[in-house]
DNA sequence: TGTTAGCACTCTAAGTTGATGAGTGCTAAT
DNA sequence: ATTAGCACTCATCAACTTAGAGTGCTAACA
């Protein structure tokens, strides 16, 4: 069977209507609302064909049709016309990013908030991969009789800190000295590039503080590096309560318990290696079967031509693909640009 | 009418049963399950009395009774026997606090998580009031051509940081010099005690960097101080989905939209000035009328004899008061102890 | 005088029935 | 190829019925 233009128009009408009403769409509705110039009976014939081809299905005999996963797939691949953002919205996004950007974490936060607000779905934002970022400043500050705080500033503007025990008798002067050496040796180095020779150099210069150094270097390498890496922010989770397909509490609970696990988030954000730009996963294309009735739209963001991470929007399969794609595209561009500015010439 | 012992027993039975089943309790059930040695008919008479006294009410004519707010109040004030935590649970709490405590924020986080897990309700944790904490270390680090990062370490172990613009031509050396002066003047000072004379002294020593100083001091005073103050962590919000009284999505949405506003959280955590220890607010005793069907149990935590903040558990009026009171009491003690250790001799 | 059995009564929850209407597929006419 | 017409299916809703849980009252009992 061939997919002629009229079939396309009918499929498009069904999908658009179902996206906005969440109700099965009948032949009469289509003929009335989307003037195709043919009678309901004709449309019924075409719909029977579309169903046979797998693009739509019937919840039960006397109901209208709803799009199948295949139908949505055909829609996003061939039929969808992207929506234009209003001046207002685009302005809001731009302002959201221009407004006193100070730190990577803050930028990601705002991205999530805007994404979920603009789409009314759940937003996911992955922290950027910054393995190539380098140490900018390291400082040890004495906090108590045997306690110090280790502060590490990365060139990305990220600041990590961590309490650590120190010997009883150590003074702030000692710590300044240690900080000085660490700074001299590590400043400008990337996380991945600290090698044994370098550490030996440090030991050599600070032989008598060996035990502090051991701990400090361990913390710098293991803990501090790993803390911020590959976290995923969730925003607007409650928006799913507004979707009619989630008026059943049990379904909400299933989805929420999935979203509570970081692994799941990582899995569903995952995109095929070669995918540039935007990826759409519909229903059963998602890695978890509990998400059959959800779709996920993701986009990568980058600085230069290095992809740093992914942002995504999670909604029901019946989500407004056209709008979400436009929004997420705009957001990922803005995010990339802002990060570029923030990390200017530093990554 | 007098509240004799039998009435008390019956009221207690009604409340216990309703708390565990969420169903109205009939006279037959009581006589069967809670062997009081009297027939349902007798119990019916007593229940009629209890209803007249306002302790219980009938959802409709042919249903059993449920406790009224007054009934719950009488229960928590006079009838409730506190539950004992199991060895296991108490151990888990203790271990939760002992395990590598490094920072105030982390402690609060864990507190929230444990509270919500142990009770299966929603936990609220207010950040401690640390207005009396003092500056331990201040550092400016050059990040880009005209950008620096300001790092402030408080004696509580809290670390704040903030990007700030600086003049194009400034060097890291200049910034070190400024940091040095700021440290010398501000170290050991409390946030509240920075006075004009002090600032003049700083200006005097660093006349040529006046514009940087203006910004830095402003950030230190306004932004950094206010950021972490009086935030309220929410944990286990989704637990409300497990309560049968919230099987209606609309009710969930109303409650969630309340909990999204920080003011609300502050209001419902608020406790009367003189209240030492644990406060229980039942239904309409809550400040928001949308929370008529919720109860809130709060406890303060302190270091020394200074109250620093409040933790709380939010559940339906039908919540398990005995257990929650025990848990929250244990948690607040542990939290106080841990903070004491963490801020040892520093506040 | 307090307790209890018995009974009529009330009200909800759950099930049944029937009407309505949206929607379909098929057929025959255009 | 298109469409009008028609018989048919099925969900939804309202009206009605039923079963059962629970009550209040009364009269009998200890």
């Amino acid at each position: 069977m061939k997919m002629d233009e009229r079939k396309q128009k009918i499929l498009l009408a069904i999908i658009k209507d179902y996206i906005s009403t969440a109700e099965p769409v009948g032949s009469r509705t289509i003929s009335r609302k989307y003037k195709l110039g043919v009678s309901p009976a004709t449309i019924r014939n075409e719909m029977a064909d579309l169903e046979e081809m797998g693009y739509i299905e019937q919840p039960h005999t006397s109901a209208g049709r709803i799009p199948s996963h295949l139908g949505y797939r055909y829609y996003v691949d061939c039929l969808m016309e992207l929506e234009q953002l209003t001046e207002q919205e685009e302005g809001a996004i731009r302002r959201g990013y221009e407004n006193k950007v100070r730190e990577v974490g803050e930028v990601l936060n705002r991205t999530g908030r805007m994404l979920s607000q603009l789409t009314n779905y759940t937003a996911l934002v992955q922290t950027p991969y910054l393995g190539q970022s380098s140490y900018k400043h390291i400082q040890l500050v004495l906090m108590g009789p045997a306690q110090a705080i280790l502060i590490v500033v990365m060139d990305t503007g990220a600041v990590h800190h961590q309490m650590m025990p120190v010997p009883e008798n150590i003074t702030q002067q000692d710590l300044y000295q240690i900080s000085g050496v660490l700074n001299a040796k590590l400043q400008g180095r990337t996380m991945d590039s600290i090698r044994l020779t370098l550490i030996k150099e440090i030991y050599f210069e600070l032989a008598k503080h060996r035990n502090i150094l051991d701990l400090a270097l361990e913390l710098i390498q293991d803990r501090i590096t790993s803390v911020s890496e590959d976290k995923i922010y969730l925003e607007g989770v409650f928006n799913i309560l507004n979707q009619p397909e989630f008026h059943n509490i049990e379904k909400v609970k299933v989805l929420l318990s999935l979203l509570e696990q970081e692994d799941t988030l990582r899995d569903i954000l995952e995109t095929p290696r070669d995918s540039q730009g935007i990826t759409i996963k519909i229903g059963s294309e998602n890695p978890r079967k509990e998400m059959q009735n959800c779709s996920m739209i993701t986009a990568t963001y980058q600085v230069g031509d290095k992809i740093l991470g992914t942002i995504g929007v999670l909604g029901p399969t019946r989500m407004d693909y056209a709008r979400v794609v436009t929004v997420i595209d705009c957001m990922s561009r803005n995010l990339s640009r802002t990060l570029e500015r923030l990390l200017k010439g530093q990554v």
Side-chain angles (χ1 to χ4, degrees), chain A residues 260-299:
Chain A
E260 269 179 0
Q261 298 159 286
E262 192 113 2
D263 323 359
T264 314
L265 301 185
R266 211 161 292 133
D267 281 1
I268 62 176
L269 258 189
E270 184 114 330
T271 50
R273 264 300 159 74
D274 53 345
S275 74
Q276 256 293 39
I278 294 177
T279 307
I280 302 181
K281 276 186 232 140
I282 297 165
S284 47
E285 299 168 14
N286 278 305
R288 309 274 159 144
K289 65 176 175 305
E290 297 92 333
M291 294 193 158
Q292 292 260 347
N293 52 354
C294 291
S295 283
M296 181 84 207
I297 302 185
T298 59

Side-chain angles (χ1 to χ4, degrees), chain A residues 251-262 264 290:
Chain A
K251 289 187 188 162
V252 177
K253 279 204 262 183
V254 170
L255 188 56
L256 285 183
S257 66
L258 270 182
L259 295 183
E260 269 179 0
Q261 298 159 286
E262 192 113 2
T264 314
E290 297 92 333

Side-chain angles (χ1 to χ4, degrees), chain A residues 292-312:
Chain A
Q292 292 260 347
N293 52 354
C294 291
S295 283
M296 181 84 207
I297 302 185
T298 59
T300 56
Y301 62 89
Q302 58 248 325
V303 165
D305 50 5
K306 174 136 182 65
I307 292 178
L308 296 189
T310 309
I311 61 179

